[in-house]
């Protein structure tokens, strides 16, 4: 069964995530087949490029969908009841005239990539079109590479990547390549002096009742700040303006909760947060981010407890897919694999050389 779509504002979708459903203003939610969405977009939101498309799996809808004529006689699917957030398998930025890429319900990689791109786009202070994708920028956090980068989802060659990065006005020349087979282009960039890092996209179904989940709790994000600050200071020791860099990297995180549902999960020891992770829920897809343990508290199963509670939360939110990204060259990928995550594909982080030939660390 082909997906349906619903066009809405990011604010309306964020409110729906808290409510568990997008509720119709009248007797039905106006849906579209993918090839029709330009009609309601032009009629209701002419010229806007800050909207999102909810990709809806019809099989997950509890209420009837009826094909009915609109005011001009065009037939559209109408959902007679609320649209559950658990029926939305992806949330895709709608930026015409670019054709949106709509992942199928069973496309774990497509849904993971859509979530990553969508979060970056929705929380960005500015979004610019570049060949093959967008540049996201946020001058409030210039030290955050994650918020000031090019993200490319359509196949382009290495020269086009380089031009997109150089023309985007980035302080840190970073590009994420997300299309299948992007490793070939990343390899060519590496041959030109770029830094290229493969990130494995891993996925599994959420599961409630895993051992250890009861040891973890959900807290206000500010309680995690000391753990984050200590981690960034260790990894960035020697970086100029370290205090300002760390302040930005910690401060940026509050924006994510304004576009998706965020759960900060921690384990305490002697009243102090010693392990943490973040779960981001966007409809039926959730992402695990930033699982970490204080070095002095490792080896006690705290990260397992954080992950178990996160998977429980995802199941409770109606998600059927939990995803994450892991460095292909680092040990956490094996840790996640032992806990049921399977590799479904990869994306590439590429960083242009600095003047003098050095490269930036794209992990910020």
């Amino acid at each position: 069964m082909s997906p349906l779509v619903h066009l809405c504002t990011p604010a309306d979708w964020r409110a729906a995530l808290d409510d568990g459903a997008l509720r119709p203003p009248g007797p039905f939610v106006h849906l579209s087949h993918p090839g029709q969405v330009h009609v309601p977009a032009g009629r209701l939101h002419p010229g806007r490029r800050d909207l999102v498309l909810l990709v809806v799996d019809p099989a997950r809808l509890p209420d009837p969908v009826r094909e009915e004529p609109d005011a001009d006689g065009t037939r559209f699917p109408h959902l007679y009841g609320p649209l559950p957030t658990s029926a939305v398998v992806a949330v895709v930025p709608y930026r015409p005239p670019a054709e949106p890429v709509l992942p199928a319900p069973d496309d774990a990689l497509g849904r993971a990539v859509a979530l990553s791109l969508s979060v970056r786009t929705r929380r960005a202070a500015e979004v610019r079109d570049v060949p093959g994708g967008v540049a996201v920028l946020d001058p409030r956090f210039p030290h955050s590479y994650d918020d000031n980068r090019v993200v490319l989802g359509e196949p382009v060659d290495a020269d086009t990547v380089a031009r997109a990065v150089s023309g985007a006005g980035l302080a840190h020349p970073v590009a994420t390549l997300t299309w299948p087979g992007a490793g070939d282009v990343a390899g060519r960039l590496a041959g030109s002096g770029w830094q290229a890092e493969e990130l494995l996209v891993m996925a599994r179904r959420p599961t409630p009742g895993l051992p250890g989940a009861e040891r973890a709790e959900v807290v206000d994000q500010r309680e995690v700040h000391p753990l984050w600050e200590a981690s960034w200071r260790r990894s960035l020791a020697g970086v100029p303006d370290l205090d300002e860099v760390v302040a930005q990297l910690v401060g940026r995180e509050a924006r994510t909760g304004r576009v998706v549902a965020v759960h900060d999960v921690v384990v305490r020891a002697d009243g102090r947060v010693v392990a943490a992770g973040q779960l981001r829920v966007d409809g039926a897809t959730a992402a695990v981010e930033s699982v970490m343990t204080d070095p002095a508290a490792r080896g006690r199963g705290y990260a397992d407890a954080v992950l178990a509670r996160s998977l429980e939360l995802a199941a409770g939110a109606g998600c059927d897919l939990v995803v994450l990204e892991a460095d292909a060259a680092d040990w956490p990928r094996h840790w996640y694999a032992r806990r049921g995550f399977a590799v479904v594909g990869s994306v590439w982080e590429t960083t242009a050389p600095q003047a003098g030939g050095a490269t930036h660390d794209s992990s910020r």
Side-chain angles (χ1 to χ4, degrees):
M1 189 178 297
S2 299
L4 302 174
V5 294
H6 176 73
L7 188 68
C8 70
T9 67
D12 285 346
W13 173 242
R14 181 64 188 87
L17 287 170
D18 286 339
D19 186 56
L22 187 74
R23 303 191 181 277
F28 57 79
V29 175
H30 190 289
L31 302 174
S32 301
H33 296 287
Q36 296 177 307
V37 72
H38 65 282
V39 177
R43 181 185 303 156
L44 302 174
H45 309 283
R48 290 190 62 171
R49 305 183 74 228
D50 62 337
L51 303 173
V52 293
L53 274 180
L54 310 183
V55 183
V56 179
D57 181 3
R60 306 181 192 208
L61 296 174
D63 293 307
V65 176
R66 301 173 187 163
E67 295 278 344
E68 297 176 323
D70 228 11
D72 63 357
T74 304
R75 298 182 71 82
F76 286 90
H78 294 157
L79 169 63
Y80 279 81
L83 172 58
T85 56
S86 59
V88 177
V89 298
V91 182
V92 178
Y94 183 66
R95 294 181 58 79
E99 286 292 327
V101 178
L102 309 179
D106 61 352
D107 180 4
L109 177 60
R111 288 171 61 179
V113 168
L115 174 56
S116 178
L117 171 62
S118 188
V119 169
R120 284 170 168 154
T121 303
R122 280 184 271 164
R123 74 184 180 193
E126 181 182 356
V127 183
R128 299 178 186 172
D129 295 321
V130 298
V134 296
V136 293
L137 302 102
D138 198 326
R140 297 169 297 178
F141 304 98
H143 291 291
S144 173
Y145 300 178
D146 196 45
D147 296 289
N148 296 276
R149 66 168 60 220
V150 166
V151 185
L152 304 176
E154 296 295 325
V156 293
D157 60 26
D159 289 340
T160 302
V161 176
R163 286 194 299 271
V165 168
S166 64
L170 302 173
H172 312 291
V174 181
T176 302
L177 316 181
T178 66
W179 68 87
D184 292 340
V185 172
R188 285 192 283 276
L189 290 168
S192 300
W194 288 53
Q195 176 179 307
E197 176 185 33
E198 183 182 15
L199 299 179
L200 300 178
V201 179
M202 306 183 74
R204 63 160 287 171
R205 292 186 66 86
T207 307
L210 291 175
E214 72 283 352
R215 302 170 70 188
E217 59 182 300
V218 179
V219 300
D220 184 284
Q221 189 174 98
R222 289 170 291 186
E223 295 196 47
V224 194
H225 286 182
L227 186 66
W228 287 348
E229 290 171 1
S231 176
W232 282 119
R233 288 185 181 278
R234 286 192 300 271
S235 63
L236 297 175
V239 168
D241 302 319
L242 181 60
D243 289 346
E244 176 61 22
V245 172
V246 171
Q248 288 187 23
L249 297 180
V250 172
R252 66 183 178 177
E253 291 301 324
R255 299 158 311 130
T256 304
R258 298 170 192 161
V259 298
V260 294
V262 169
H263 306 275
D264 287 287
V265 181
V266 308
V267 172
R268 302 180 194 271
D270 300 323
R272 183 172 65 91
V273 171
V274 295
Q278 187 175 94
L279 183 77
R280 300 175 179 177
V281 176
D282 204 21
T285 311
V288 171
E289 300 276 349
S290 305
V291 176
M292 64 177 66
T293 305
D294 186 307
R298 289 174 182 165
R300 302 174 194 176
Y302 294 154
D304 273 302
V306 166
L307 184 60
R309 184 63 186 277
S310 298
L311 293 170
E312 182 175 86
L313 289 166
C319 301
D320 71 327
L321 182 69
V322 180
V323 300
L324 57 85
E325 293 178 358
D327 188 338
D330 208 353
W331 65 266
R333 59 171 294 196
H334 303 294
W335 188 85
Y336 286 115
R338 291 194 295 272
R339 284 148 184 84
F341 284 86
V343 175
V344 295
S346 63
V347 298
W348 288 83
E349 303 286 4
T350 59
T351 309
Q354 293 181 7
T359 57
H360 289 287
D361 174 3
S362 62
S363 63
R364 293 188 203 172

